Amino acid sequence: MNISTRLAEKLPGIFPAPPSPLLRTGLPELGFISFVNQKRRFGWGLQRKMVWNSERADMCVASKTGIVHPATGTYAQEAIEAIKSDKVVAVPTDTLYGFACDACSLEAVNRIYAIKGRRLTSPLAICVGDVSDIKRFAITEHLPPGLLDSLLPGPVTVVLRRGESSVLEKSLNPGIDTVGVRVPDCEFIRAIARGSGSAIALTSANLSGHRSSVCVKDFENLWHHCAYVYDGGVLPSGREGSTIIDLTNIGTYKIIRPGSAEEETVEILEKHFLGEDAGGG
């Protein structure tokens, strides 16, 4: 039983909407559960049931610009085409709203840095559609069997070595031989990653150093920099972001950022007989 399932069992009384028919794009349309008035900190597994319905896509803000669309399967192909065209889009994840682009497009990556006012020396994480995709971009052979499948999809960023066989462009995070990888527990961004055929560069949708965004209204001042903004409603996880763990070394782990799922993450790491790296940076 993975973390998502375990945390879902702690949240009785919450039920997903009935599944919608498959759309013409072949991507599943996403349903909706309302979290606007829910003050309890939600757990990992609930995100697996979080899918969004166009009837409430404007729950944070009414779109007057034409670029704000619901985060549903109806608009997934549109987002994929924007990513393939070196554009930046804003998307919900299982933790925060993020800016996303093709990780192999230097033009798009530089645009994200410019939007955020972020230093070029600060690395970007990537997002992939499925756990099985991670090995295309990073070294995973040294990890215990089943570890990544226990951690992901979920609010965890795993830091791994890129290796010589990584298909990532060298222009992404130049001079850094590691990469943070996410598989969010959010079907919309995962569908975009699958459809793009590439890794998605992903970072929080805010100005660097400013408060993270849990609603599209939080970063309204940055909408005009995006090809599209996809509204998934108010995200229930708070503003802590993902738990970041360094898994570059055999047999050990290091917590880089506690994030929203540290306790559950450590429990899984230790179950797979990894010990905490007590050494310095």
Side-chain angles (χ1 to χ4, degrees), residues 198-280:
S198 179
I200 303 296
L202 185 64
T203 185
S204 57
N206 60 316
L207 291 173
S208 187
H210 288 226
R211 187 176 71 164
S212 300
S213 301
V214 295
C215 170
V216 295
K217 187 71 173 178
D218 286 345
F219 60 99
E220 185 176 8
N221 60 318
L222 301 176
W223 288 0
H224 64 284
H225 294 295
C226 301
Y228 301 105
V229 174
Y230 294 100
D231 188 355
V234 178
L235 304 183
S237 63
R239 301 181 190 272
E240 293 182 276
S242 64
T243 296
I244 304 179
I245 51 172
D246 184 335
L247 296 178
T248 56
N249 295 319
I250 297 174
T252 65
Y253 71 88
K254 181 184 292 186
I255 300 291
I256 297 176
R257 182 177 72 188
S260 60
E262 181 183 18
E263 180 181 348
E264 296 82 7
T265 299
V266 169
E267 182 180 342
I268 283 182
L269 294 170
E270 294 181 349
K271 182 179 178 180
H272 285 81
F273 305 104
L274 270 65
E276 184 170 10
D277 182 352

Side-chain angles (χ1 to χ4, degrees), residues 27 76-77 79-81 83-84 89 91-92 100-103 126-131 133 136-137 181-184 186-202:
L27 297 169
Q77 188 60 41
I80 291 167
E81 294 305 320
I83 293 287
K84 288 182 174 180
V89 298
V91 295
C101 74
D102 183 349
I126 64 170
C127 164
V128 297
D130 296 285
V131 175
D133 296 326
R136 295 177 54 208
F137 305 98
V181 186
R182 289 218 62 201
V183 185
C186 173
E187 185 57 34
F188 185 71
I189 181 61
R190 292 177 65 193
I192 295 171
R194 293 184 193 112
S196 73
S198 179
I200 303 296
L202 185 64

Side-chain angles (χ1 to χ4, degrees), residues 10 15 18 24 64 70 93 98 120 125 144 148 165 167 195 204 211 218 230 250 264:
K10 299 178 182 179
F15 303 96
R24 288 177 297 174
K64 297 180 180 178
T93 72
L120 292 174
L148 291 178
S165 62
V167 300
S204 57
R211 187 176 71 164
D218 286 345
Y230 294 100
I250 297 174
E264 296 82 7

